[in-house]
Amino acid sequence: MMDLPVPKKARVHRLRVLAGECAGLVARRGSTLLIIFGLRVFYRTIAQGTFHCRRCGGDREFRHRAGRRWFTLFFLPVIPLNSVGEHVQCTTCRTRYVTDALNQPTTAQMQAALPAGMRAAVSAMLRSGDPSSLVSRQRAIEAVIGSGVPGYDEAMLAADLLQPFEAIRPALNQVGAQLTIQAKEWYLAEVIRIAMADDPLTETERHAAMAIGVDLGMTQAQVVGVVAMTEQSAGRD
């Protein structure tokens, strides 16, 4: 920008908008002083990782960013002002999300949670009945293999049966948080069929089904309904 001539006895004050900032022109001692000031938001990255991007439709890298408004002088941040919040930005499509987007499980997390939850559920159900029942154990192994553990066998089942119920509850909570109510009902029904593989449900097995269902995030009424429908389906078979 070229300097403008200023009369000797005059003072000129001009403001111009330049790239979102204010430009002040002040005449002093026969010359023009250019002052550029304004407000601008600057972001800094406070975390990085992988999340599920809804726009991309898959797992992507993200940047967790926090913003603050600054008073700028000559386009440089000088005085920090108020915070303008945080957001999560996909590094692929650049879409910004509220930070709650990080609570959604990634595809990799879901793939790990489903078999882990099934292993926890079948071991809890087997312990509530007859853990030595060959037909129930075989049904349990098939259920875990179907959930995504192709190499699951008797040795791995025996190791799972040694885990106390309190130690496996987090796995049930995690998978339950990722499933719809219909998926939870199917999940619980698969576990109930394990207990019914040799004999009708015992009272202890019903209590186990209730505990598993509650840890999956189901209400007691929903669990009772799934138990009843599974028993009716077994009776028709």
Side-chain angles (χ1 to χ4, degrees):
M1 181 179 294
M2 298 179 58
D3 290 344
L4 300 177
V6 180
K8 293 183 179 180
K9 297 183 179 181
R11 285 185 177 273
V12 179
H13 182 76
R14 298 176 182 176
L15 295 179
R16 293 181 180 178
V17 177
L18 179 60
E21 309 257 351
C22 296
L25 297 178
V26 182
R28 292 183 178 179
R29 297 182 180 178
S31 63
T32 300
L33 176 64
L34 176 64
I35 301 178
I36 303 176
F37 60 92
L39 301 176
R40 185 177 176 183
V41 175
F42 290 86
Y43 290 94
R44 62 186 179 90
T45 299
I46 59 178
Q48 294 179 316
T50 303
F51 82 132
H52 181 79
C53 177
R54 293 191 297 271
R55 183 171 183 179
C56 294
D59 294 350
R60 297 291 186 270
E61 297 298 315
F62 73 85
R63 292 187 299 170
H64 184 180
R65 308 171 74 202
R68 180 172 293 277
R69 183 172 286 106
W70 289 71
F71 174 81
T72 61
L73 185 62
F74 294 106
F75 305 105
L76 299 177
V78 178
I79 303 175
L81 302 175
N82 60 303
S83 173
V84 297
E86 301 177 6
H87 67 261
V88 175
Q89 184 178 45
C90 175
T91 59
T92 301
C93 67
R94 304 296 180 181
T95 302
R96 296 181 180 183
Y97 300 95
V98 296
T99 55
D100 287 345
L102 297 180
N103 296 332
Q104 298 298 318
T106 65
T107 302
Q109 289 172 335
M110 290 193 66
Q111 290 175 344
L114 288 173
M118 183 60 76
R119 291 177 68 168
V122 301
S123 64
M125 183 57 76
L126 280 177
R127 284 199 301 270
S128 68
D130 182 8
S132 63
S133 172
L134 295 180
V135 63
S136 293
R137 292 174 74 96
Q138 183 58 38
R139 186 66 182 259
I141 292 174
E142 292 173 355
V144 176
I145 291 175
S147 69
V149 189
Y152 196 76
D153 55 17
E154 273 285 347
M156 297 175 72
L157 175 60
D160 287 343
L161 289 172
L162 297 177
Q163 298 292 325
F165 184 67
E166 291 301 320
I168 63 178
R169 290 187 67 183
L172 293 172
N173 298 149
Q174 185 175 9
V175 71
Q178 301 175 17
L179 299 176
T180 64
I181 183 58
Q182 293 81 6
K184 293 176 185 179
E185 292 174 348
W186 174 88
Y187 209 83
L188 180 60
E190 281 291 297
V191 178
I192 294 172
R193 293 187 186 100
I194 295 171
M196 297 175 59
D198 50 1
D199 290 305
L201 286 178
T202 64
E203 196 63 28
T204 304
E205 290 170 336
R206 292 179 188 276
H207 286 306
M210 180 62 70
I212 293 170
V214 170
D215 280 336
L216 288 174
M218 302 172 65
T219 65
Q220 293 186 1
Q222 290 170 337
V223 174
V224 171
V226 172
V227 171
M229 287 188 296
T230 306
E231 288 180 316
Q232 291 175 4
S233 177
R236 289 194 298 268
D237 295 341

